[in-house]
Amino acid sequence: ETGVTQTPRHLVMGMTNKKSLKCEQHLGHNAMYWYKQSAKKPLELMFVYSLEERVENNSVPSRFSPECPNSSHLFLHLHTLQPEDSALYLCASSQGIADTQYFGPGTRLTVL
Amino acid sequence: QQQVKQSPQSLIVQKGGISIINCAYENTAFDYFPWYQQFPGKGPALLIAIRPDVSEKKEGRFTISFNKSAKQFSLHIMDSQPGDSATYFCAASTSNTGKLIFGQGTTLQVKP
């Protein structure tokens, strides 16, 4: 595997379910990001981790909970989501905070 | 002040023509302006980026023009090809935060 990978690629969940999105980067980077991409809206930064510490939390509802156990892996834990949370969730990584961000293919999430 | 406004929302160009996408920003602290290209089912990929110390940057058929006083920058795609059909996003950030602010995106269709 190369670059940034995300699993699953598609996820359908009910509002009472708990699920997790996984991101793995194979680039030796030190910073990782979660973005939300909704139709007809700009990409929204959700969380930033640098050296496994959260450095940005962009006013995201608590039903989204990130976890960065090491510099290669990033998770987004989901619980009691709303239908308006349906979107493409993108993970990205960069060497450092100020460097070029490389994106994964995203997880298409549908909340019923 | 954190917004980046992108236009047009969609663009249709004949093969061989010039595609032009424009972005405007308000925050004068922004010092990094990348353009990303996104194909369906893929994450955004960095296409070209510029910093405000230069007014133009060219890489192959892709050119960024930057006007610091007007707080505007644009992407020009010369000799547009059907393979360039994708969604293009401009973005801006201050280089010490890694917090990319994205435009709304432009869907480009290049007709053969």
Side-chain angles (χ1 to χ4, degrees):
Chain A
E1 290 279 11
T2 58
V4 181
T5 58
Q6 291 186 242
T7 54
R9 294 294 309 276
H10 301 272
L11 178 62
V12 180
M13 60 186 289
M15 289 191 284
T16 58
N17 291 157
K18 290 184 181 181
K19 297 286 184 183
S20 296
L21 310 185
K22 179 183 176 182
C23 174
E24 184 173 2
Q25 58 95 2
H26 310 268
L27 301 168
H29 289 169
N30 294 312
M32 298 188 77
Y33 311 76
W34 279 117
Y35 287 86
K36 177 182 179 182
Q37 186 175 28
S38 305
K40 311 241 184 248
K41 291 179 70 175
L43 276 79
E44 301 170 59
L45 179 65
M46 300 175 72
F47 301 103
V48 181
Y49 277 82
S50 177
L51 297 171
E52 298 128 58
E53 287 195 21
R54 192 189 309 179
V55 297
E56 180 74 35
N57 178 355
N58 225 22
S59 301
V60 179
S62 60
R63 57 186 183 268
F64 295 92
S65 175
E67 178 190 1
C68 188
N70 55 64
S71 60
S72 298
H73 293 87
L74 185 64
F75 294 90
L76 188 63
H77 304 299
L78 317 171
H79 65 96
T80 51
L81 294 192
Q82 305 298 311
E84 60 264 30
D85 297 322
S86 298
L88 182 68
Y89 288 85
L90 290 160
C91 173
S93 72
S94 62
Q95 180 60 49
I97 285 292
D99 297 316
T100 298
Q101 294 181 27
Y102 295 84
F103 285 81
T107 295
R108 173 68 62 186
L109 174 67
T110 302
V111 182
L112 301 176
Chain B
Q1 192 171 19
Q2 287 294 318
Q3 279 188 326
V4 176
K5 295 184 179 179
Q6 182 173 346
S7 63
Q9 188 174 349
S10 62
L11 182 61
I12 299 175
V13 173
Q14 290 295 127
K15 179 182 175 181
I18 302 173
S19 304
I20 302 174
I21 305 170
N22 301 298
C23 284
Y25 64 97
E26 289 294 324
N27 188 347
T28 55
F30 288 149
D31 60 1
Y32 176 64
F33 303 90
W35 284 89
Y36 280 82
Q37 180 188 55
Q38 185 176 26
F39 293 104
K42 304 279 188 180
L46 179 69
L47 189 62
I48 187 172
I50 197 168
R51 294 192 184 273
D53 52 345
V54 295
S55 60
E56 186 175 282
K57 184 173 181 180
K58 184 175 181 180
E59 290 184 4
R61 296 185 293 111
F62 301 92
T63 300
I64 299 179
S65 297
F66 183 80
N67 186 329
K68 188 174 182 179
S69 60
K71 291 185 284 186
Q72 294 175 347
F73 58 111
S74 60
L75 176 69
H76 296 234
I77 305 175
M78 311 300 286
D79 187 27
S80 298
Q81 299 296 313
D84 297 330
S85 297
T87 301
Y88 292 81
F89 295 93
C90 64
S93 74
T94 50
S95 54
N96 63 346
T97 66
K99 188 174 177 179
L100 281 174
I101 307 298
F102 282 85
Q104 294 95 325
T106 296
T107 302
L108 171 66
Q109 182 184 357
V110 181
K111 291 195 167 182

